[in-house]
Amino acid sequence: MQGKILILDFGSQYTMLIARRVRELKVYSEIHPYNVPPSFVREFRPDGIILSGGPASVYEEGAPLVSNEILSLGVPVLGICYGMQVIALLMGGKVGKSADREYGTANIRGEWGDPLFLGIEEFRHNMTIQVWMSHGDIIEELPKGFTPIARSENSPVAAMANTEKNVYGVQFHPEVAHTPKGKEILSNFLFRICGLSPTWTMHSFVEASIQKIRETVGNENVVLGLSGGVDSSVAAVLLHRALGERLTCIFVNNGLLRKGEAEDVLETFRSGIGLHLEFVDASERFLAALEDVEDPERKRKIIGEMFVRVFEDAAKKIPGGVGFLGQGTLYPDVIESVSFKGPSATIKSHHNVGGLPEKMHLKIIEPLRELFKDEVRELGKELDIPEHIIQRQPFPGPGLAVRIIGPVTAERCRILRDADAIVDEEVRAAGLYESIWQSFAVLLPIKTVGVMGDFRTYENVAAIRAVHSQDGMTADWVRLPYDLLQRVSTRIINEVKGVNRVVYDVSSKPPSTIEWE
C-alpha cells in the first residue's frame, strides 16, 4: 500500500516546497488548508501530517489553528515554524514574542540520537548545522511530554519532540535549500518516524492512475481537448492507456494558437502517436466571444466556457455518447485557482479549473491534477512520449488571448503570432530552448512613435518574456545574451508589420506572474 503525507497549509510561502521535497523522497503528498475537519483527515488516512509555516502569531485573536482532534489521531506529526507553535499552543505549552527575531540563516545544535536527526554527524560531535529561520515568536514553555532537541542562539527550543506520541516540531524550514541538512531531516520523519518506504514513482503512478481512471469512468466514453502542449499530451496518452478507443481527443483551433501549431499537432498525434483525434475549427466563434473584452479574468472565463461548449458539441457526434471531459490540469493550477481562508489568495483562475462554468453537461476527469510540471515530464518519459513533445515549453490554456494585453482581435493575434514565432526560432537557434521554462512575446496595449526609413511610424510595442522555473510556482527572468536580444528585436521590427518597438521583461515571480494576464 502506497504511503501518503498530508500537508496542512497555514499560508507559508514555502508550503509548495514541502510537498516537492516529500515527493522527491518518493513519498506521495497533498496540500490542504489548515481548517479541514477531522473527518476529512480520517478519510484521507495519512501516514503522517506536516503543519506548514505561516505569517500569523498563534497567540493573536483569530489565529489559524488546526482542530485539536487532528493532533490526537495517533498519526505522526511534524510542525514547521508556525506549525510547531500551533502544536505547542494546542498541547498545553506557551508561545510568546521573541526578544530577537530570526530571519535568514542561523546555526543550531541538535540532540544526537533523536529520530529526527539521525545521520547528522555534526550533532554527534556537538557541532552546529546551518538552517533557515523566519520567525519572531518562540516557545516559552514546552507542552507536557515534550523535550527540546535543538537550540539556536536566539531560540532555546529550535526543535522539540514527544517521541511517545510521535509529534515533532522544528522552528526552522527544512524544506528550503538554505537548510542543507533539511532533506535528511524530512527523510527521517518520513522513513524512521512515519515508517514509510520510498515507493511513489512514476511507474507506480501510472499503474495506480490507470486503475483509478477505469474505476471512475466505468463503461463511459471520454473526450479530451488536446492542445499539443505537455500537459494535455501526457493526459491524453495516459487516458488512452487506460481506455483505448473509448477516448476521443479533440483539437480546437480557437484562433489563439501559435504559428503553425494546428498543422504540427495534427501531424504529430494522428500519424506519430496514433490517437483518435478530431479537428474543430472554432476560431471565429472564440474571437467573436472575446470582442471588446479587456479584463483578463473575463477572457479566461469566456475561453474556458467556450472550450467546454465546443467539446460538448463534438461529444454529441461520438457514437455511444460521452460522459467525461478529460483535462490536463496540474497541481499548481489547482493551488492558484482555489482560495483558502487565510493562506493563499486567488491569483488568477485557470481556464481548466476556475474558468469552467458551474453548470456543464460533462463530468470532469483530471488524471494529472496531483502532479507538478516536472513530474508530468517524468511521467511522459514513462509513457514513451516523444522527447520533443515532453520538452515543449508551457503554453497557457487561453492561448495568445492572455498575451495580448487589451482587446483580442484577429489582427492583433496575427501580430503577436508572427513576433512570437521569431522569439521561438531565435531561442532554439541559440540552443537555449530546453533550458528555459518559457520564452515568448507579449503584445502591449500601447503604441509608440518610431522612424522607419524617412517615415514616422506609430505602431505597437512587443515585450519579450523569458523565465527560469522548476514548476511555475516561482520564476526568475533569464539573462538572455545581448546579441540574442538584438537579433530578436531587429527581426521583429523588420519582419512583423505593426510593431516598431521591443522591450524585455526583467520581472520575477513573485511579485509578478509569468504570464502578463
Side-chain angles (χ1 to χ4, degrees):
M1 182 69 179
Q2 181 175 283
K4 53 187 176 181
I5 294 294
L6 173 63
I7 300 168
L8 297 181
D9 179 25
F10 287 95
S12 169
Q13 61 182 314
Y14 304 129
T15 301
M16 297 297 291
L17 272 179
I18 301 172
R20 291 200 57 79
R21 297 297 175 256
V22 172
R23 292 183 181 201
E24 286 168 4
L25 291 165
K26 293 183 169 49
V27 174
Y28 180 68
S29 63
E30 279 189 23
I31 299 171
H32 290 275
Y34 70 88
N35 52 4
V36 294
S39 58
F40 170 86
V41 180
R42 284 193 294 268
E43 186 176 343
F44 187 86
R45 300 180 66 183
D47 296 281
I49 297 172
I50 297 178
L51 307 183
S52 82
S57 293
V58 294
Y59 49 77
E60 294 176 345
E61 185 176 352
L65 301 171
V66 296
S67 166
N68 239 322
E69 190 178 340
I70 291 176
L71 299 180
S72 305
L73 295 175
V75 177
V77 178
L78 173 64
I80 295 176
C81 196
Y82 181 84
M84 178 174 91
Q85 295 162 12
V86 168
I87 292 171
L89 181 71
L90 293 180
M91 300 189 78
K94 185 177 179 181
V95 180
K97 188 176 291 294
S98 174
D100 298 299
R101 297 183 299 175
E102 282 185 302
Y103 291 101
T105 57
N107 294 308
I108 67 167
R109 297 181 189 276
E111 294 295 324
W112 168 255
D114 185 272
L116 199 61
F117 297 143
L118 285 176
I120 299 179
E121 288 296 317
E122 288 86 345
F123 291 165
R124 180 200 290 270
H125 306 291
N126 198 31
M127 296 169 63
T128 63
I129 65 169
Q130 176 186 303
V131 298
W132 183 261
M133 295 280 195
S134 180
H135 69 103
D137 297 327
I138 60 170
I139 309 296
E140 294 181 343
E141 293 181 15
L142 282 168
K144 185 179 179 180
F146 282 80
T147 57
I149 57 173
R151 65 189 185 278
S152 70
E153 185 175 342
N154 292 319
S155 296
V157 184
M160 65 181 191
N162 183 325
T163 53
E164 182 181 345
K165 294 185 176 180
N166 272 341
V167 179
Y168 293 79
V170 293
Q171 187 60 70
F172 53 91
H173 289 272
E175 70 273 24
V176 304
H178 297 294
T179 301
K181 297 290 184 177
K183 188 173 183 179
E184 285 91 331
I185 293 169
L186 289 173
S187 177
N188 283 333
F189 177 69
L190 299 176
F191 305 130
R192 297 181 185 277
I193 296 170
C194 297
L196 294 171
S197 299
T199 58
W200 191 72
T201 63
M202 280 304 124
H203 181 73
S204 68
F205 180 84
V206 169
E207 292 181 338
S209 294
I210 288 175
Q211 180 179 349
K212 185 177 179 181
I213 290 167
R214 288 172 177 168
E215 290 173 355
T216 301
V217 172
N219 294 321
E220 296 189 80
N221 294 322
V222 176
V223 62
L224 177 139
L226 182 63
S227 69
V230 179
D231 306 340
S232 67
S233 299
V234 174
V237 175
L238 181 58
L239 287 167
H240 181 70
R241 285 274 184 98
L243 305 172
E245 292 302 311
R246 287 192 289 125
L247 170 70
T248 298
C249 296
I250 298 177
F251 177 75
V252 178
N253 180 5
N254 58 9
L256 306 169
L257 303 176
R258 290 169 289 194
K259 198 168 187 176
E261 191 157 22
E263 296 80 4
D264 289 344
V265 169
L266 292 174
E267 173 65 24
T268 299
F269 289 92
R270 275 182 177 169
S271 304
I273 297 180
L275 297 183
H276 178 200
L277 178 59
E278 299 290 338
F279 175 74
V280 179
D281 188 350
S283 54
E284 292 184 2
R285 191 172 167 185
F286 275 82
L287 291 175
L290 290 168
E291 187 175 0
D292 299 325
V293 177
E294 296 189 23
D295 179 74
E297 274 297 285
R298 281 196 63 206
K299 289 180 185 178
R300 290 176 179 272
K301 297 287 185 181
I302 289 169
I303 292 167
E305 181 167 350
M306 190 66 65
F307 264 117
V308 174
R309 300 307 170 217
V310 169
F311 294 153
E312 287 180 330
D313 291 344
K316 294 174 184 176
K317 302 174 184 177
I318 297 174
V322 173
F324 285 86
L325 173 65
Q327 293 187 324
T329 307
L330 304 191
Y331 206 22
D333 297 344
V334 176
I335 295 299
E336 283 197 351
S337 297
V338 179
S339 180
F340 298 151
K341 180 183 176 184
S344 55
T346 297
I347 299 168
K348 60 187 177 184
S349 64
H350 290 254
H351 84 283
N352 53 354
V353 184
L356 290 173
E358 292 182 4
K359 295 181 180 179
M360 54 183 299
H361 305 301
L362 296 175
K363 291 164 284 188
I364 299 295
I365 184 165
E366 299 167 315
L368 310 181
R369 70 176 285 122
E370 299 164 352
L371 300 182
F372 292 99
K373 191 76 172 191
D374 57 318
E375 292 172 334
V376 172
R377 287 197 167 101
E378 187 181 346
L379 174 59
K381 293 178 182 178
E382 179 70 26
L383 294 170
D384 297 321
I385 296 175
E387 189 73 14
H388 75 276
I389 297 174
I390 296 172
Q391 295 304 327
R392 286 193 73 180
Q393 293 180 359
F395 186 61
L400 299 182
V402 291
R403 293 178 179 176
I404 294 174
I405 314 304
V408 179
T409 66
E411 173 61 11
R412 299 192 82 205
C413 286
R414 192 273 308 166
I415 293 171
L416 180 57
R417 193 174 286 119
D418 289 347
D420 187 71
I422 291 172
V423 175
D424 185 82
E425 290 171 11
E426 291 296 339
V427 168
R428 288 179 185 275
L432 299 175
Y433 183 82
E434 291 187 4
S435 66
I436 293 174
W437 175 262
Q438 279 175 278
S439 50
F440 55 89
V442 180
L443 187 61
L444 305 188
I446 56 175
K447 291 187 175 183
T448 65
V449 173
V451 178
M452 290 188 178
D454 295 325
F455 295 96
R456 173 187 183 275
T457 63
Y458 190 57
E459 300 288 4
N460 296 279
V461 179
I464 308 303
R465 181 79 157 138
V467 296
H468 287 308
S469 181
Q470 187 175 29
D471 52 36
M473 296 304 297
T474 60
D476 189 24
W477 63 279
V478 180
R479 279 64 172 171
L480 290 177
Y482 287 154
D483 59 342
L484 173 57
L485 287 173
Q486 181 183 24
R487 287 196 302 274
V488 170
S489 175
T490 300
R491 283 194 60 193
I492 289 176
I493 292 172
N494 287 343
E495 298 175 28
V496 180
K497 184 180 179 181
V499 176
N500 69 355
R501 191 179 300 270
V502 175
V503 297
Y504 188 52
D505 184 348
V506 293
S507 311
S508 296
K509 176 185 181 180
S512 303
T513 53
I514 296 176
E515 300 290 344
W516 279 45
E517 289 191 343

PDB file of all heavy atoms in Angstrom, residues 202-215:
ATOM      1  N   MET A 202       6.985   7.235 -10.825  1.00  0.00           N
ATOM      2  CA  MET A 202       6.107   7.417 -11.978  1.00  0.00           C
ATOM      3  C   MET A 202       5.564   6.079 -12.491  1.00  0.00           C
ATOM      4  O   MET A 202       4.440   6.026 -12.995  1.00  0.00           O
ATOM      5  CB  MET A 202       6.851   8.158 -13.097  1.00  0.00           C
ATOM      6  CG  MET A 202       6.907   9.646 -12.873  1.00  0.00           C
ATOM      7  SD  MET A 202       5.267  10.393 -12.654  1.00  0.00           S
ATOM      8  CE  MET A 202       5.455  11.183 -11.069  1.00  0.00           C
ATOM      9  N   HIS A 203       6.326   5.024 -12.328  1.00  0.00           N
ATOM     10  CA  HIS A 203       5.821   3.708 -12.734  1.00  0.00           C
ATOM     11  C   HIS A 203       4.625   3.325 -11.870  1.00  0.00           C
ATOM     12  O   HIS A 203       3.590   2.873 -12.388  1.00  0.00           O
ATOM     13  CB  HIS A 203       6.923   2.655 -12.610  1.00  0.00           C
ATOM     14  CG  HIS A 203       6.494   1.280 -13.033  1.00  0.00           C
ATOM     15  ND1 HIS A 203       6.298   0.935 -14.350  1.00  0.00           N
ATOM     16  CD2 HIS A 203       6.187   0.176 -12.295  1.00  0.00           C
ATOM     17  CE1 HIS A 203       5.915  -0.328 -14.432  1.00  0.00           C
ATOM     18  NE2 HIS A 203       5.839  -0.810 -13.188  1.00  0.00           N
ATOM     19  N   SER A 204       4.750   3.529 -10.552  1.00  0.00           N
ATOM     20  CA  SER A 204       3.631   3.210  -9.665  1.00  0.00           C
ATOM     21  C   SER A 204       2.463   4.156  -9.900  1.00  0.00           C
ATOM     22  O   SER A 204       1.301   3.769  -9.769  1.00  0.00           O
ATOM     23  CB  SER A 204       4.075   3.276  -8.198  1.00  0.00           C
ATOM     24  OG  SER A 204       4.389   4.600  -7.797  1.00  0.00           O
ATOM     25  N   PHE A 205       2.774   5.417 -10.257  1.00  0.00           N
ATOM     26  CA  PHE A 205       1.715   6.382 -10.537  1.00  0.00           C
ATOM     27  C   PHE A 205       0.896   5.948 -11.750  1.00  0.00           C
ATOM     28  O   PHE A 205      -0.331   6.048 -11.755  1.00  0.00           O
ATOM     29  CB  PHE A 205       2.310   7.775 -10.769  1.00  0.00           C
ATOM     30  CG  PHE A 205       1.270   8.830 -11.059  1.00  0.00           C
ATOM     31  CD1 PHE A 205       0.606   9.471 -10.034  1.00  0.00           C
ATOM     32  CD2 PHE A 205       0.953   9.168 -12.371  1.00  0.00           C
ATOM     33  CE1 PHE A 205      -0.364  10.440 -10.295  1.00  0.00           C
ATOM     34  CE2 PHE A 205      -0.010  10.132 -12.657  1.00  0.00           C
ATOM     35  CZ  PHE A 205      -0.664  10.770 -11.606  1.00  0.00           C
ATOM     36  N   VAL A 206       1.582   5.473 -12.794  1.00  0.00           N
ATOM     37  CA  VAL A 206       0.880   5.017 -13.996  1.00  0.00           C
ATOM     38  C   VAL A 206      -0.056   3.864 -13.657  1.00  0.00           C
ATOM     39  O   VAL A 206      -1.238   3.857 -14.041  1.00  0.00           O
ATOM     40  CB  VAL A 206       1.884   4.581 -15.090  1.00  0.00           C
ATOM     41  CG1 VAL A 206       1.168   3.866 -16.224  1.00  0.00           C
ATOM     42  CG2 VAL A 206       2.633   5.792 -15.624  1.00  0.00           C
ATOM     43  N   GLU A 207       0.449   2.885 -12.918  1.00  0.00           N
ATOM     44  CA  GLU A 207      -0.374   1.730 -12.571  1.00  0.00           C
ATOM     45  C   GLU A 207      -1.595   2.140 -11.752  1.00  0.00           C
ATOM     46  O   GLU A 207      -2.723   1.711 -12.025  1.00  0.00           O
ATOM     47  CB  GLU A 207       0.470   0.725 -11.787  1.00  0.00           C
ATOM     48  CG  GLU A 207       1.560   0.057 -12.623  1.00  0.00           C
ATOM     49  CD  GLU A 207       2.351  -0.949 -11.821  1.00  0.00           C
ATOM     50  OE1 GLU A 207       2.354  -0.841 -10.568  1.00  0.00           O
ATOM     51  OE2 GLU A 207       2.953  -1.856 -12.417  1.00  0.00           O
ATOM     52  N   ALA A 208      -1.360   3.010 -10.737  1.00  0.00           N
ATOM     53  CA  ALA A 208      -2.470   3.441  -9.885  1.00  0.00           C
ATOM     54  C   ALA A 208      -3.460   4.308 -10.659  1.00  0.00           C
ATOM     55  O   ALA A 208      -4.679   4.210 -10.463  1.00  0.00           O
ATOM     56  CB  ALA A 208      -1.925   4.205  -8.677  1.00  0.00           C
ATOM     57  N   SER A 209      -2.947   5.152 -11.563  1.00  0.00           N
ATOM     58  CA  SER A 209      -3.808   6.057 -12.324  1.00  0.00           C
ATOM     59  C   SER A 209      -4.696   5.297 -13.294  1.00  0.00           C
ATOM     60  O   SER A 209      -5.877   5.622 -13.450  1.00  0.00           O
ATOM     61  CB  SER A 209      -2.957   7.089 -13.079  1.00  0.00           C
ATOM     62  OG  SER A 209      -2.286   7.935 -12.184  1.00  0.00           O
ATOM     63  N   ILE A 210      -4.136   4.307 -13.968  1.00  0.00           N
ATOM     64  CA  ILE A 210      -4.924   3.515 -14.912  1.00  0.00           C
ATOM     65  C   ILE A 210      -6.090   2.834 -14.187  1.00  0.00           C
ATOM     66  O   ILE A 210      -7.232   2.840 -14.662  1.00  0.00           O
ATOM     67  CB  ILE A 210      -4.028   2.487 -15.629  1.00  0.00           C
ATOM     68  CG1 ILE A 210      -3.115   3.203 -16.632  1.00  0.00           C
ATOM     69  CG2 ILE A 210      -4.874   1.423 -16.326  1.00  0.00           C
ATOM     70  CD1 ILE A 210      -2.110   2.300 -17.309  1.00  0.00           C
ATOM     71  N   GLN A 211      -5.796   2.281 -13.016  1.00  0.00           N
ATOM     72  CA  GLN A 211      -6.852   1.631 -12.236  1.00  0.00           C
ATOM     73  C   GLN A 211      -7.907   2.650 -11.803  1.00  0.00           C
ATOM     74  O   GLN A 211      -9.110   2.406 -11.903  1.00  0.00           O
ATOM     75  CB  GLN A 211      -6.250   0.948 -11.012  1.00  0.00           C
ATOM     76  CG  GLN A 211      -7.280   0.246 -10.137  1.00  0.00           C
ATOM     77  CD  GLN A 211      -6.651  -0.436  -8.934  1.00  0.00           C
ATOM     78  OE1 GLN A 211      -5.437  -0.574  -8.835  1.00  0.00           O
ATOM     79  NE2 GLN A 211      -7.484  -0.855  -7.989  1.00  0.00           N
ATOM     80  N   LYS A 212      -7.441   3.821 -11.347  1.00  0.00           N
ATOM     81  CA  LYS A 212      -8.364   4.865 -10.878  1.00  0.00           C
ATOM     82  C   LYS A 212      -9.215   5.399 -12.023  1.00  0.00           C
ATOM     83  O   LYS A 212     -10.423   5.632 -11.869  1.00  0.00           O
ATOM     84  CB  LYS A 212      -7.576   5.999 -10.235  1.00  0.00           C
ATOM     85  CG  LYS A 212      -8.431   7.089  -9.613  1.00  0.00           C
ATOM     86  CD  LYS A 212      -7.566   8.134  -8.939  1.00  0.00           C
ATOM     87  CE  LYS A 212      -8.410   9.236  -8.324  1.00  0.00           C
ATOM     88  NZ  LYS A 212      -7.546  10.283  -7.680  1.00  0.00           N
ATOM     89  N   ILE A 213      -8.600   5.599 -13.201  1.00  0.00           N
ATOM     90  CA  ILE A 213      -9.341   6.089 -14.371  1.00  0.00           C
ATOM     91  C   ILE A 213     -10.429   5.110 -14.753  1.00  0.00           C
ATOM     92  O   ILE A 213     -11.579   5.485 -14.999  1.00  0.00           O
ATOM     93  CB  ILE A 213      -8.369   6.332 -15.554  1.00  0.00           C
ATOM     94  CG1 ILE A 213      -7.463   7.530 -15.277  1.00  0.00           C
ATOM     95  CG2 ILE A 213      -9.163   6.550 -16.850  1.00  0.00           C
ATOM     96  CD1 ILE A 213      -6.284   7.636 -16.234  1.00  0.00           C
ATOM     97  N   ARG A 214     -10.096   3.842 -14.804  1.00  0.00           N
ATOM     98  CA  ARG A 214     -11.079   2.821 -15.189  1.00  0.00           C
ATOM     99  C   ARG A 214     -12.227   2.747 -14.180  1.00  0.00           C
ATOM    100  O   ARG A 214     -13.386   2.592 -14.563  1.00  0.00           O
ATOM    101  CB  ARG A 214     -10.390   1.459 -15.313  1.00  0.00           C
ATOM    102  CG  ARG A 214      -9.494   1.367 -16.543  1.00  0.00           C
ATOM    103  CD  ARG A 214      -8.662   0.103 -16.551  1.00  0.00           C
ATOM    104  NE  ARG A 214      -7.858   0.006 -17.764  1.00  0.00           N
ATOM    105  CZ  ARG A 214      -6.877  -0.874 -17.939  1.00  0.00           C
ATOM    106  NH1 ARG A 214      -6.578  -1.736 -16.970  1.00  0.00           N
ATOM    107  NH2 ARG A 214      -6.186  -0.883 -19.069  1.00  0.00           N
ATOM    108  N   GLU A 215     -11.899   2.848 -12.892  1.00  0.00           N
ATOM    109  CA  GLU A 215     -12.944   2.820 -11.862  1.00  0.00           C
ATOM    110  C   GLU A 215     -13.843   4.048 -11.972  1.00  0.00           C
ATOM    111  O   GLU A 215     -15.062   3.957 -11.799  1.00  0.00           O
ATOM    112  CB  GLU A 215     -12.310   2.755 -10.479  1.00  0.00           C
ATOM    113  CG  GLU A 215     -11.627   1.424 -10.172  1.00  0.00           C
ATOM    114  CD  GLU A 215     -10.872   1.453  -8.855  1.00  0.00           C
ATOM    115  OE1 GLU A 215     -10.800   2.553  -8.237  1.00  0.00           O
ATOM    116  OE2 GLU A 215     -10.354   0.405  -8.435  1.00  0.00           O
TER     117      GLU A 215
END
